Amino acid sequence: WKEQIRSWDFSSVPGVRFLEPTHLTFSEDFVIKPEQWNKLAADSNAADAYFVSPFTGPSGFQVAERFKRPLIFRGVSTRWAHIASYTRSKGLECFVTTDDFRSANDIEGIKNLLMLLRARKTFTQTKVLSLTSRGLPGECGLGVWDALDL
């Protein structure tokens, strides 16, 4: 699956890159063990979202809960729907793409999602210096106010 992920072409999504895939082994008690968390620790500060692939159990929620970043699941399934709804009910983000990822061409859904996430990140970090003599503050945090809802 690592080779499959590396074969996907995301060059049309500016500013987005996939980090080296990490393989986690989920346990039968659905709890991620410390040695598995350690595998994610190296890239946790660099990751803006976590793409979960291939299938996993409810442990995927633990990743969103620990790192407070969106989860992205590949393909539509009832398992993803349940985990996504549970994750969102806890106030965390989770997205399910409609792509089945059988070929390098079948990734348009995740490309669109990544563009939206990138735009949100850019807009929420944008500050504009207002040059005016109208008495407004010198620096205004102008931008999209509802960027978190993108």
Side-chain angles (χ1 to χ4, degrees):
W1 60 271
K2 284 185 176 186
E3 293 304 319
Q4 181 185 25
I5 291 171
R6 288 184 191 117
S7 73
W8 298 333
D9 180 16
F10 289 100
S11 61
S12 65
V13 187
V16 172
R17 68 180 176 91
F18 268 70
L19 301 173
E20 182 64 24
T22 301
H23 179 261
L24 296 184
T25 304
F26 295 100
S27 61
E28 291 185 21
D29 63 359
F30 300 109
V31 176
I32 299 175
K33 304 297 183 203
E35 61 273 9
Q36 300 302 313
W37 285 121
N38 291 340
K39 291 180 181 181
L40 290 177
D43 288 329
S44 64
N45 288 331
D48 292 314
Y50 288 90
F51 178 68
V52 182
S53 171
F55 294 102
T56 180
S59 304
F61 165 75
Q62 295 173 45
V63 175
E65 184 177 45
R66 176 170 277 206
F67 296 112
K68 306 293 189 249
R69 293 191 184 86
L71 290 180
I72 303 170
F73 292 127
R74 76 176 217 180
V76 177
S77 76
T78 54
R79 177 181 287 180
W80 290 149
H82 288 244
I83 296 171
S85 61
Y86 179 78
T87 302
R88 293 188 63 88
S89 76
K90 297 296 184 180
L92 302 167
E93 289 184 291
C94 188
F95 302 96
V96 180
T97 68
T98 56
D99 308 321
D100 68 11
F101 292 86
R102 294 179 203 271
S103 72
N105 297 326
D106 190 26
I107 58 173
E108 291 307 310
I110 192 170
K111 282 182 177 181
N112 291 334
L113 175 60
L114 292 173
M115 283 191 280
L116 290 172
L117 291 173
R118 176 71 177 142
R120 179 178 71 185
K121 180 179 179 180
T122 300
F123 289 141
T124 58
Q125 295 176 351
T126 300
K127 291 186 177 190
V128 176
L129 179 60
S130 176
L131 303 177
T132 182
S133 61
R134 295 185 184 159
L136 294 174
E139 181 181 334
C140 298
L142 300 176
V144 179
W145 290 105
D146 62 347
L148 294 178
D149 295 331
L150 284 177

